[in-house]
Amino acid sequence: MGEGFKKFKRKMCVGAWIRGSLLGVAVGCVIAAVLTTLSKFEILTIDKIIMLIASVAPAVAVAGIVVLVLMPSEKRAAKKIDRALNFGERAQTMVAYKQHNGPMIALQRVDADNRLSAATTRGVGLRGIVAITVAFVLAAAMLVTAFVIPGKAEALDDSNEEIEIPWAISEYQRVALEDLIREVRESEMEQEAKDSTVDTLEDLLYALTKVVETESEMKETVIAAIVDVDLISDNANTYLAISRKMLESEDDSMQKLGKIIELLDPLSVRDKMDVLYVSNFMVSDVADLATAFAAGIELALEGAMTDNEIYLNIALYNFADSLRLVGSDGDSSNDGLQTDNAFATACDDLVDALSYQKTNLEMRDKVIAKLTELFGIKADELPDLNANLPSDGNVGGDKNDENVKPEDDEDEVVSDGGIGTGNIIYGSDESYIYDPEKKETVLYGESLGAYHGKYLEDVLSGQISDEFKDLLDAYFDVLFSGTEDKE
Amino acid sequence: MENMERVAAFSQKIAAIKEQLARDVVGQQEIIDNVIIAIIAGGNVLLEGVPGVGKTRLVRSLAKTLQLPFSRIQFTPDLMPSDVTGTNIVEKDDNGKLNTSFRKGPIFANLVLADEINRATPKTQSAMLEVMQEHKVTVAGETYKIDEPFFVLATENPVEQDGTYPLPEAQMDRFVFKLLMKFPNKAELADIVRMTQITMEETAEASVNGEEIMEMRALAATVPVIGDVLNYAINLVSNTHPELDDTSVTAKKYIKYGASPRAAQALITCAKVRALVNGNYNVSYADIDALACPVLRHRIKVNYTAVNERLTADDVIGMLVRENKKLSK
């Protein structure tokens, strides 16, 4: 065949490949789109590899079949050329008589090829390309849409994220928060810490009452208040930092003092200070000891880098000053009385200071517990707190102390009725209860607030009788306020 | 190269013939083209036209152009077959002996104009048509060949049908074409009047001879035709037969009886010539379509449905061609 004919046949072959490929890819896209959509809406569970194979294999098959069908033979190509160029069957005659000889046939062949060489291939071999391209584009769009549309779970999540749940403080919450503020104000916290905590809670009350409009804003505001309260406690409770510095000392008496402070047990301060005094300071030459001890206390205070306006810091500085006085005077004239007085005063001061700091922590815990319960803040929603607590989580006491939390003692059986420090136990946060609204089992503490809130709504709407109300009030009171452990 | 020269010469001769004919015949280009095709294809033509449109003039002019001996036979009802073919006559020679000799009739020419052939009796018509088919005359057992090329152009007057003997279908089949010579338009008529005011004689000059016509015929016969085109022509002829199972809808509806196999032969032979006349080296569907009416119009008979719907044979053939085109796709 001449070059003119080959030119056209080549174009047709390329056209067949293009159309076959486009159709094949279109088929693959449609299948992939359908499978992806079914998978997203959980109508069909299909592995990604299987999905890929299920899309690619038919695409390749369709492409192959279409190419085979469209790939023209010489005869078909000649027919298409004659039709496209209105060629008067020149190409077909040329192909049909290619094996024949004869002067007229040779002339016809030359004439036909010359005309083909001069003709343009435009429009030949791409029949239906527009429709195929449109089909390809639509199929590709289908696939993109299938990937982009959110699936069942995504749609739910998205809907949850997108919808801002409106929120307004309930009467119960407002009253409870006011009660908490009053409780803090009436507590035996150190004054500065108390004032700061009250201010934080009052700001919180204002914000929740006047500013906050959605649930997410509410949570944000409450969590911020909790963090502030924790920080206030962290700043106010210097006992741990000071005691740690003291315990780093090689001096035995300093270590003993450090342990006394670390215990955070005001009731045991006097006994332990007496032991310290008797064992370390009832000596004839106490001046150097006292001076060294004072220096050690001051060193520990400086090393702790805490606020020296805190009562404990002031108490320890005063103790150091008293001891310096003993050191300078020698205390020989008073037969140990000066030293004794210094220790006695220090005892009084330490008892008060440690009481404050213990109360600070207790109120901190109470405020945080109350806020999380009142406003439904989950534990995983809170940032890291308890920065100033010992690693075992104990608030005062040691492992042998009967006031240790039950979860820290493996031998202790956790009762359904109580955790807490000292003789007061609170509602358990460890037992689980089925929440019918959430349709799942949750920690008791998470649903307690909701239950109480529901109870209060029923009370306000008059659905609870007076007799039953008294019973329920007492029940919730135990849960929120704790009860004396009679054991 | 030699063949290219032959083809070039073919085209030149065709152009020369047309040029010469145009000097004597105004308009009628399609008629001239088809007559030329028929001559080169070796076929005979039936011309239908009212008197005075130039049928005789065309043949005379053609005879001059082709340098072929020409005779005209005016058919009348009393014309005998021997008046056409010739007859044996008895002659006294110089010695006074009586001898018989064959006196050739007017049919012994290369170009014969059989005027108003439908006025002759069937017997005379059949004598004429036998010669047309076989190119020879048999009289008293003796056969006399007619020189090639032999071409008969017969005429029919569509107006005067009284006292005529319409050609039977079997004999119509011997004409490769039936051409309809229409009355000239005003411009053409004006040209005719102007031309014939100068001279009534034909002014065409010789451009080719009989031998060259035969060469052109041989060359045209070598033009290739592909199977699809051949089948197209065969289907066209076959679809004129309403009695066939797979025939066309048009035939079933409008045709009483269809064309003979000679129609298919005529289509292909003449299509080859037409292709070459138009400068093409192969037969195309267009060639078949262009020759459908001249080849088929006298070979099919339309039925009363067509007559009722005022459809002519040409109308029905047009429908057949369209239907054939659709089927061929």
Side-chain angles (χ1 to χ4, degrees):
Chain A
M1 287 290 112
E3 283 308 312
F5 183 79
K6 282 183 188 171
K7 174 179 81 174
F8 278 87
K9 188 146 186 283
R10 215 176 302 134
K11 175 92 186 278
M12 286 180 192
C13 291
V14 168
W17 276 107
I18 290 173
R19 286 180 288 170
S21 304
L22 283 176
L23 270 175
V25 171
V27 165
C29 285
V30 168
I31 294 173
V34 168
L35 291 177
T36 303
T37 307
L38 290 175
S39 177
K40 274 200 173 184
F41 286 97
E42 297 172 5
I43 298 168
L44 194 70
T45 308
I46 185 163
D47 187 59
K48 283 192 167 48
I49 303 290
I50 304 289
M51 200 188 292
L52 187 67
I53 294 169
S55 307
V56 169
V60 169
V62 165
I65 290 168
V66 170
V67 168
L68 275 173
V69 167
L70 293 180
M71 192 66 73
S73 59
E74 275 185 345
K75 192 176 173 186
R76 259 181 45 200
K79 202 165 185 176
K80 286 181 192 236
I81 291 168
D82 283 336
R83 193 179 294 155
L85 301 179
N86 201 21
F87 228 36
E89 286 64 62
R90 284 186 179 86
Q92 289 176 80
T93 307
M94 183 176 73
V95 168
Y97 282 87
K98 72 175 181 182
Q99 302 294 346
H100 292 73
N101 294 314
M104 186 61 73
I105 290 168
L107 258 179
Q108 194 279 331
R109 195 177 294 143
V110 168
D111 172 67
D113 201 60
N114 286 343
R115 287 175 189 255
L116 283 171
S117 297
T120 170
T121 59
R122 193 177 167 187
V124 175
L126 289 174
R127 195 174 165 198
I129 190 69
V130 171
I132 291 171
T133 305
V134 167
F136 168 74
V137 168
L138 286 174
M142 249 180 94
L143 184 62
V144 168
T145 307
F147 275 114
V148 162
I149 53 165
K152 205 173 176 182
E154 289 169 7
L156 285 173
D157 288 344
D158 288 345
S159 68
N160 287 341
E161 285 172 5
E162 288 170 5
I163 299 172
E164 279 287 356
I165 303 169
W167 185 89
I169 191 166
S170 67
E171 185 60 21
Y172 160 72
Q173 286 168 326
R174 188 187 63 76
V175 168
L177 191 51
E178 284 173 349
D179 287 344
L180 183 64
I181 293 170
R182 188 170 43 252
E183 197 174 334
V184 170
R185 196 178 279 126
E186 290 169 2
S187 72
E188 294 298 323
M189 284 177 76
E190 194 160 339
Q191 193 60 47
E192 197 177 321
K194 185 197 301 185
D195 292 341
S196 298
T197 303
V198 166
D199 288 342
T200 299
L201 291 176
E202 283 177 341
D203 289 343
L204 176 66
L205 178 63
Y206 178 81
L208 293 178
T209 311
K210 303 285 183 196
V211 178
V212 165
E213 289 179 347
T214 65
E215 190 173 307
S216 60
E217 284 174 5
M218 176 275 289
K219 288 202 174 184
E220 233 176 82
T221 310
V222 170
I223 290 170
I226 289 171
V227 169
D228 283 345
V229 165
D230 182 58
L231 197 61
I232 292 165
S233 167
D234 194 33
N235 289 335
N237 282 15
T238 58
Y239 78 98
L240 207 57
I242 294 169
S243 63
R244 279 177 182 159
K245 282 297 170 189
M246 287 180 175
L247 288 168
E248 285 172 11
S249 171
E250 289 176 0
D251 181 27
D252 178 61
S253 47
M254 188 57 59
Q255 287 184 5
K256 282 181 180 164
L257 181 60
K259 279 184 185 165
I260 292 168
I261 295 172
E262 187 191 46
L263 268 177
L264 200 64
D265 180 15
L267 295 176
S268 67
V269 167
R270 286 187 201 285
D271 291 340
K272 289 187 164 55
M273 285 293 280
D274 283 343
V275 167
L276 174 62
Y277 173 66
V278 165
S279 60
N280 291 70
F281 289 89
M282 283 191 76
V283 296
S284 55
D285 185 15
V286 75
D288 291 340
L289 264 176
T291 306
F293 199 50
I297 292 171
E298 287 165 350
L299 194 66
L301 284 168
E302 282 165 23
M305 291 191 289
T306 51
D307 183 2
N308 289 327
E309 298 299 317
I310 300 295
Y311 193 78
L312 177 62
N313 292 46
I314 295 169
L316 287 169
Y317 270 118
N318 290 342
F319 187 33
D321 288 341
S322 308
L323 288 171
R324 279 203 186 278
L325 215 57
V326 167
S328 63
D329 289 351
D331 202 22
S332 55
S333 58
N334 289 325
D335 196 20
L337 189 61
Q338 201 173 5
T339 312
D340 191 50
N341 286 340
F343 267 83
T345 308
C347 270
D348 292 337
D349 288 342
L350 281 176
V351 167
D352 289 340
L354 291 177
S355 293
Y356 281 137
Q357 298 218 348
K358 188 169 177 181
T359 308
N360 288 347
L361 279 177
E362 285 170 359
M363 287 312 298
R364 170 217 173 265
D365 286 349
K366 191 165 188 183
V367 165
I368 291 174
K370 187 71 179 177
L371 290 178
T372 54
E373 172 264 315
L374 203 58
F375 297 104
I377 308 295
K378 293 186 185 131
D380 58 3
E381 290 176 319
L382 289 172
D384 285 338
L385 301 175
N386 300 327
N388 204 27
L389 287 177
S391 58
D392 61 2
N394 277 352
V395 180
D398 59 21
K399 287 187 179 170
N400 296 321
D401 193 322
E402 62 183 359
N403 290 327
V404 165
K405 284 187 189 172
E407 69 253 28
D408 296 324
D409 189 333
E410 290 174 1
D411 295 333
E412 182 78 21
V413 174
V414 177
S415 72
D416 290 339
I419 58 163
T421 59
N423 296 325
I424 306 297
I425 55 173
Y426 295 95
S428 172
D429 199 31
E430 288 187 337
S431 61
Y432 285 84
I433 192 169
Y434 180 74
D435 188 330
E437 287 189 9
K438 291 181 184 176
K439 292 189 174 48
E440 60 183 10
T441 306
V442 299
L443 282 172
Y444 189 80
E446 286 181 11
S447 55
L448 179 59
Y451 279 123
H452 190 239
K454 190 82 173 68
Y455 160 69
L456 288 175
E457 283 171 15
D458 289 344
V459 166
L460 286 171
S461 61
Q463 291 183 38
I464 309 288
S465 65
D466 290 337
E467 185 187 325
F468 206 35
K469 181 178 174 306
D470 292 338
L471 209 63
L472 287 170
D473 278 342
Y475 169 69
F476 280 110
D477 197 43
V478 167
L479 292 178
F480 287 124
S481 308
T483 189
E484 192 173 341
D485 186 0
K486 293 184 171 50
E487 295 178 6
Chain B
M1 286 307 286
E2 187 192 329
N3 215 50
M4 271 193 76
E5 287 165 4
R6 287 174 69 194
V7 170
F10 182 101
S11 302
Q12 284 165 4
K13 284 165 192 167
I14 295 292
I17 295 170
K18 287 184 183 179
E19 188 192 335
Q20 293 305 318
L21 288 177
R23 291 167 72 165
D24 292 329
V25 180
V26 176
Q28 310 291 356
Q29 198 55 50
E30 194 183 326
I31 302 293
I32 291 171
D33 289 345
N34 284 329
V35 165
I36 292 171
I37 289 171
I39 288 175
I40 295 171
N44 305 303
V45 172
L46 180 62
L47 257 185
E48 185 180 283
V50 294
V53 292
K55 298 185 291 293
T56 309
R57 192 177 178 84
L58 170 63
V59 179
R60 280 186 197 282
S61 185
L62 197 60
K64 276 192 166 182
T65 304
L66 300 180
Q67 300 177 80
L68 292 172
F70 164 72
S71 69
R72 181 180 175 205
I73 307 171
Q74 180 63 52
F75 282 78
T76 56
D78 59 346
L79 198 72
M80 300 300 286
S82 56
D83 296 333
V84 173
T85 58
T87 188
N88 284 327
I89 56 168
V90 177
E91 286 180 322
K92 200 184 265 187
D93 63 11
D94 293 335
N95 297 329
K97 201 174 174 186
L98 291 172
N99 294 316
T100 55
S101 64
F102 178 68
R103 183 72 56 83
K104 289 182 181 178
I107 199 72
F108 283 89
N110 290 100
L111 218 61
V112 176
L113 173 61
D115 231 338
E116 294 184 283
I117 193 171
N118 57 331
R119 288 184 72 193
T121 59
K123 193 170 176 180
T124 307
Q125 285 174 1
S126 63
M128 177 76 192
L129 293 162
E130 184 189 346
V131 175
M132 281 166 57
Q133 180 65 28
E134 295 176 23
H135 293 198
K136 62 181 183 207
V137 171
T138 303
V139 173
E142 292 278 333
T143 302
Y144 303 90
K145 278 202 71 150
I146 309 245
D147 295 334
E148 295 290 345
F150 179 64
F151 174 66
V152 174
L153 197 145
T155 67
E156 275 187 338
N157 184 350
V159 177
E160 285 178 15
Q161 295 295 318
D162 292 339
T164 63
Y165 300 90
L167 284 173
E169 287 72 27
Q171 285 159 353
M172 291 278 262
D173 204 26
R174 279 160 175 61
F175 294 96
V176 73
F177 286 159
K178 178 179 177 180
L179 304 175
L180 305 177
M181 211 153 173
K182 294 186 176 65
F183 192 82
N185 58 35
K186 285 182 185 174
E188 287 168 351
L189 189 57
D191 286 341
I192 290 168
V193 169
R194 263 188 234 112
M195 185 175 69
T196 50
Q197 289 299 304
I198 298 169
T199 176
M200 285 298 288
E201 295 291 320
E202 293 82 23
T203 60
E205 291 172 1
S207 54
V208 294
N209 58 33
E211 203 176 304
E212 285 169 334
I213 291 289
M214 297 308 290
E215 281 174 11
M216 288 166 78
R217 188 178 295 178
L219 185 64
T222 63
V223 172
V225 53
I226 58 173
D228 284 354
V229 174
L230 185 69
N231 289 334
Y232 182 80
I234 288 166
N235 286 338
L236 182 61
V237 171
S238 181
N239 284 341
T240 61
H241 287 263
E243 72 279 8
L244 297 178
D245 290 333
D246 56 348
T247 193
S248 64
V249 170
T250 304
K252 282 190 193 293
K253 195 174 176 186
Y254 295 120
I255 298 178
K256 192 170 179 181
Y257 52 81
S260 73
R262 281 200 190 94
Q265 291 171 324
L267 265 178
I268 295 300
T269 307
C270 295
K272 286 185 176 186
V273 176
R274 185 179 185 274
L276 208 52
V277 164
N278 289 336
N280 300 321
Y281 301 111
N282 59 272
V283 176
S284 68
Y285 295 117
D287 293 323
I288 306 295
D289 291 342
L291 296 174
C293 279
V295 166
L296 292 174
R297 63 165 61 100
H298 56 291
R299 289 185 165 102
I300 64 170
K301 181 124 177 105
V302 297
N303 58 20
Y304 289 116
T305 308
V307 171
N308 276 343
E309 292 183 25
R310 298 181 191 277
L311 294 174
T312 63
D314 280 6
D315 296 329
V316 173
I317 292 165
M319 292 159 76
L320 283 170
V321 167
R322 284 190 290 276
E323 207 174 317
N324 201 35
K325 268 186 182 160
K326 275 187 201 166
L327 291 170
S328 70
K329 284 178 186 173

